[in-house]
């Protein structure tokens, strides 16, 4: 019993230091990110640990290894940038439209008051509560009208209103049950990234897949080069390299399919 209480106190102490660990969803996301970084380090580290020819080539042609390591770092940076990016939420877009419409109404009202004349000046006053009601009503109407204009004429508001967020969804928007938000131009929820892929980060996601594919392809070539030159020398090294090459090939096929499927965002970035 004392051991359980001690472990619970240790967990509470860790949660106070790192508050994000208290959320199970965020712990899972951090665990996946740590696992992905560890996989990258394992594949590259074993390659440089086993392949003495690559070390010699690095001494003779350092630019070759430098470019490879640069791609390695850029792919990891792109991963973290994409995972922390916003896919574009419907609520945020609606809030932006409301704020712009509110600022426009305020500027138009200020331009009309006070109005000066030769005999003096007069000020147009509006009751605060009435002005607020009119502004909110115009904001809701402006967002609804903006969304309605994207649908065919005669479409009912109920057909594109999210039953979870209770907001009007533009075309291709969808409610993500993992994020519990409506996402603009929703594509999918990426488990490895821990975020949705939508209008706001689709381009960044494409570049990450492109860089990861290039890194996997280059790493696979280095693995094959090693096996050609050192096959049957040390059996356990060959077994490790072949196992890693097989898993790397499976990952490369998956990445190539993703890259082909998501090829279009590069033209709209």
């Amino acid at each position: 019993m004392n051991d359980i209480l001690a472990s619970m106190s240790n967990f509470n102490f860790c949660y106070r230091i790192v508050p994000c660990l208290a959320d199970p969803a965020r712990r899972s996301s951090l665990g996946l990110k740590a696992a992905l970084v560890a996989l990258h380090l394992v594949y590259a580290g074993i390659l440089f640990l086993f392949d003495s020819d690559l070390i010699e080539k690095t001494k003779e042609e350092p630019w070759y290894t430098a470019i490879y390591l640069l791609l390695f770092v850029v792919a990891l940076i792109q991963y973290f940038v994409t995972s922390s990016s916003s896919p574009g939420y419907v609520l945020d877009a609606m809030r932006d439209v409301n704020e712009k419409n509110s600022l426009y109404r305020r500027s138009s009202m200020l331009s009309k008051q006070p109005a000066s004349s030769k005999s003096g000046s007069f000020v147009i006053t509006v009751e605060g509560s009435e002005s607020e009601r009119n502004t909110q009503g115009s904001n809701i109407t402006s967002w609804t009208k903006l969304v309605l204009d994207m649908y065919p004429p005669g479409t009912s508001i109920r057909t594109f209103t999210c039953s979870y967020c209770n907001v009007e969804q533009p075309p291709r928007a969808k409610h993500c049950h993992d994020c519990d938000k409506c996402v603009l131009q929703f594509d999918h929820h990426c488990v490895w990234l821990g975020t949705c892929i939508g209008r706001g980060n689709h381009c960044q996601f494409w570049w990450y897949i492109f860089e990861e594919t290039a890194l996997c392809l280059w790493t696979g070539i280095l693995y094959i080069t090693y096996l050609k030159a050192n096959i049957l020398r040390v059996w356990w090294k060959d077994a490790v390299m072949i196992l890693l090459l097989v898993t790397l090939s499976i990952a490369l096929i998956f990445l190539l399919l993703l890259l082909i499927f998501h090829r279009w965002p590069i033209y709209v970035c």
Side-chain angles (χ1 to χ4, degrees):
M1 186 66 180
N2 293 330
D3 294 338
I4 296 175
L5 293 175
S7 62
M8 290 178 64
S9 62
N10 291 332
F11 281 127
N12 292 330
F13 178 73
C14 294
Y15 294 159
R16 285 196 298 269
I17 296 177
V18 188
C20 62
L21 294 179
D23 185 3
R26 298 191 69 178
R27 283 204 307 270
S28 177
S29 177
L30 289 173
L32 286 172
K33 292 176 181 178
L36 188 136
V37 173
L39 282 175
H40 282 71
L41 293 175
V42 166
Y43 277 96
I46 288 181
L47 180 65
F48 283 95
L49 183 64
F50 287 179
D51 195 351
S52 58
D53 295 336
L54 181 61
I55 302 299
E56 294 298 327
K57 186 175 182 179
T58 301
K59 295 178 181 178
E60 298 174 0
E61 301 176 348
W63 59 269
Y64 182 84
T65 306
I67 295 175
Y68 174 80
L69 294 177
L70 178 63
L71 179 61
F72 181 89
V73 174
V74 168
L76 286 180
I77 292 175
Q78 186 67 34
Y79 168 77
F80 284 104
V81 169
T82 307
S83 63
S84 61
S85 63
S86 172
Y89 298 110
V90 174
L91 283 174
D92 294 337
M94 185 175 67
R95 191 179 298 112
D96 291 340
V97 171
N98 292 344
E99 290 178 356
K100 290 179 181 178
N101 188 62
S102 178
L103 290 173
Y104 174 76
R105 283 182 57 83
R106 290 177 184 176
S107 61
S108 62
M109 290 174 65
L110 290 174
S111 64
K112 296 178 182 179
Q113 56 176 340
S116 59
S117 64
K118 292 182 179 179
S119 59
S121 62
F122 62 93
V123 178
I124 301 174
T125 59
V126 181
E127 294 294 333
S129 59
E130 182 181 355
S131 173
E132 187 174 317
R133 286 197 303 270
N134 292 338
T135 301
Q136 290 177 354
S138 64
N139 286 339
I140 296 174
T141 303
S142 62
W143 173 253
T144 304
K145 184 179 182 301
L146 179 65
V147 175
L148 275 172
D149 291 340
M150 301 178 186
Y151 286 90
T155 305
S156 173
I157 296 178
R158 293 183 179 179
T159 59
F160 55 81
T161 301
C162 178
S163 58
Y164 299 96
C165 300
N166 197 26
V167 296
E168 293 83 4
Q169 294 178 336
R172 293 186 58 195
K174 184 181 178 182
H175 184 87
C176 176
H177 295 281
D178 295 292
C179 300
D180 197 23
K181 292 181 181 179
C182 290
V183 180
L184 295 168
Q185 296 182 9
F186 178 85
D187 187 87
H188 69 285
H189 182 89
C190 184
V191 178
W192 285 101
L193 290 171
T195 186
C196 287
I197 305 302
R199 187 182 69 179
N201 59 359
H202 210 159
C203 182
Q204 295 174 344
F205 176 74
W206 190 93
W207 278 112
Y208 165 66
I209 294 298
F210 175 80
E211 293 163 5
E212 197 70 63
T213 303
L215 181 63
C216 284
L217 182 61
W218 197 342
T219 305
I221 292 173
L222 292 176
Y223 270 64
I224 294 173
T225 303
Y226 168 83
L227 289 173
K228 284 183 177 180
N230 300 277
I231 194 68
L232 300 179
R233 288 189 178 180
V234 183
W235 69 268
W236 64 271
K237 287 186 178 181
D238 295 341
V240 171
M241 295 294 282
I242 291 173
L243 178 62
L244 292 178
L245 182 60
V246 170
T247 56
L248 189 65
S249 301
I250 296 173
L252 181 59
I253 293 172
F254 178 72
L255 288 170
L256 283 172
L257 292 175
L258 274 178
L259 188 64
I260 294 172
F261 182 78
H262 292 278
R263 65 187 182 278
W264 67 267
I266 189 63
Y267 301 107
V268 294
C269 293

